[in-house]
Amino acid sequence: MSLELFGHPFSSYTWKALIALYENDTPFAFRTLGPDHPGNGAAFSALSPVGKFPVLVDGDRAIAEATAIIEYLDVAHPGAVRLVPDDRIAAIEVRMLDRLFDNYVMTPMQTIVGDALRPDDQRDAYGVDRARAMLDTAYAWCDRHMATRDWAAGGAFSLADCAAGPSLFYADWVHPIGDRFPAIAAYRARLLARPGIRRCVDEARPYRPLFPLGAPDRD
Ligand SMILES: N[C@@H](CCC(=O)N[C@@H](CS)C(=O)NCC(=O)O)C(=O)O
């Protein structure tokens, strides 16, 4: 039974799962969500617990949450790039970094993007200020963390880097990393040079005009 991934090429969490699939050349069918694909939407609605994507389908099994999808791929469809180490202590570091990128980079980035999609009279300036403050805090931590390593955890590309790729890609668009955090800037460049992430960036390029804050003319 072939794998199917429901998601959208411009979605940060879809990227996270796609990166794992692309890094290992894992065969799968991409089921794009959007108004042009109503059949995919109907199938997705029946599978997704709360309407969030991506969702991976493997035969009778549907897996939601990008981290769980990557954990599943690493066990059920492993490739040359192991995404979660077998060593349980090393795996905890990978999972910790995955949570840090999702919770403190991806989430505030999504808050800022989500605010820009709201009607003018329902904007949340306080929430956006707090999201920017969280990004500053996370950037300061991440810069210290990345100053002494190439990949987020354990010396090899992992689940944590699948989270960091889309997090730092889009976070830099909404809250520029600039010159303040050279280790993050170098890490982001390393992530974008990774073939699986490069492919996500390129496949999302046609959707850039939809970015609510205006996509910068780079990357
Ligand atoms: N915790 C989820 C988050 C997924 C998520 O936020 N997906 C966004 C796209 S990047 C989504 O489904 N947005 C549509 C919506 O919220 O209605 C995961 O890790 O997969």
Side-chain angles (χ1 to χ4, degrees), residues 75-112:
V75 172
H77 299 272
V81 180
R82 291 300 313 281
L83 297 161
V84 182
D86 288 332
D87 180 88
R88 292 184 67 188
I89 294 291
I92 288 170
E93 192 197 349
V94 164
R95 293 186 175 109
M96 177 180 80
L97 269 293
D98 172 69
R99 296 297 76 227
L100 287 169
F101 282 110
D102 271 15
N103 290 329
Y104 309 117
V105 181
M106 199 91 100
T107 295
M109 176 278 289
Q110 284 190 328
T111 297
I112 296 167

Side-chain angles (χ1 to χ4, degrees), residues 30-103:
F30 190 61
R31 306 271 309 256
T32 305
L33 297 170
D36 295 341
H37 305 274
N40 289 348
F44 166 76
S45 297
L47 294 167
S48 171
V50 294
K52 299 279 184 188
F53 43 91
V55 168
L56 181 79
V57 176
D58 188 9
D60 293 338
R61 203 187 297 272
I63 297 144
E65 296 293 309
T67 296
I69 290 171
I70 295 172
E71 295 254 14
Y72 177 76
L73 289 170
D74 200 56
V75 172
H77 299 272
V81 180
R82 291 300 313 281
L83 297 161
V84 182
D86 288 332
D87 180 88
R88 292 184 67 188
I89 294 291
I92 288 170
E93 192 197 349
V94 164
R95 293 186 175 109
M96 177 180 80
L97 269 293
D98 172 69
R99 296 297 76 227
L100 287 169
F101 282 110
D102 271 15
N103 290 329

Side-chain angles (χ1 to χ4, degrees), residues 12-205:
S12 52
Y13 278 105
T14 302
W15 280 25
K16 183 173 162 181
L18 281 173
I19 291 163
L21 289 159
Y22 288 160
E23 285 288 329
N24 276 315
D25 287 325
T26 308
F28 71 102
F30 190 61
R31 306 271 309 256
T32 305
L33 297 170
D36 295 341
H37 305 274
N40 289 348
F44 166 76
S45 297
L47 294 167
S48 171
V50 294
K52 299 279 184 188
F53 43 91
V55 168
L56 181 79
V57 176
D58 188 9
D60 293 338
R61 203 187 297 272
I63 297 144
E65 296 293 309
T67 296
I69 290 171
I70 295 172
E71 295 254 14
Y72 177 76
L73 289 170
D74 200 56
V75 172
H77 299 272
V81 180
R82 291 300 313 281
L83 297 161
V84 182
D86 288 332
D87 180 88
R88 292 184 67 188
I89 294 291
I92 288 170
E93 192 197 349
V94 164
R95 293 186 175 109
M96 177 180 80
L97 269 293
D98 172 69
R99 296 297 76 227
L100 287 169
F101 282 110
D102 271 15
N103 290 329
Y104 309 117
V105 181
M106 199 91 100
T107 295
M109 176 278 289
Q110 284 190 328
T111 297
I112 296 167
V113 173
D115 188 74
L117 290 166
R118 291 183 180 196
D120 281 349
D121 62 350
Q122 290 181 44
R123 292 275 170 85
D124 175 16
Y126 178 74
V128 169
D129 281 352
R130 284 179 56 98
R132 291 192 182 282
M134 177 51 76
L135 282 175
D136 281 331
T137 302
Y139 285 174
W141 153 75
C142 187
D143 200 60
R144 288 193 305 275
H145 182 74
M146 292 311 304
T148 54
R149 68 196 76 222
D150 284 346
W151 302 113
F157 189 90
S158 73
L159 162 68
D161 302 292
C162 296
S167 300
L168 291 174
F169 179 82
Y170 286 115
D172 184 50
W173 280 14
V174 304
H175 194 71
I177 293 163
D179 299 330
R180 292 178 299 161
F181 303 110
I184 307 182
Y187 176 45
R188 186 176 181 276
R190 232 169 4 257
L191 287 165
L192 296 195
R194 191 89 190 177
I197 300 182
R198 191 76 252 153
R199 188 167 165 191
C200 288
V201 171
D202 287 339
E203 289 174 351
R205 223 171 269 287

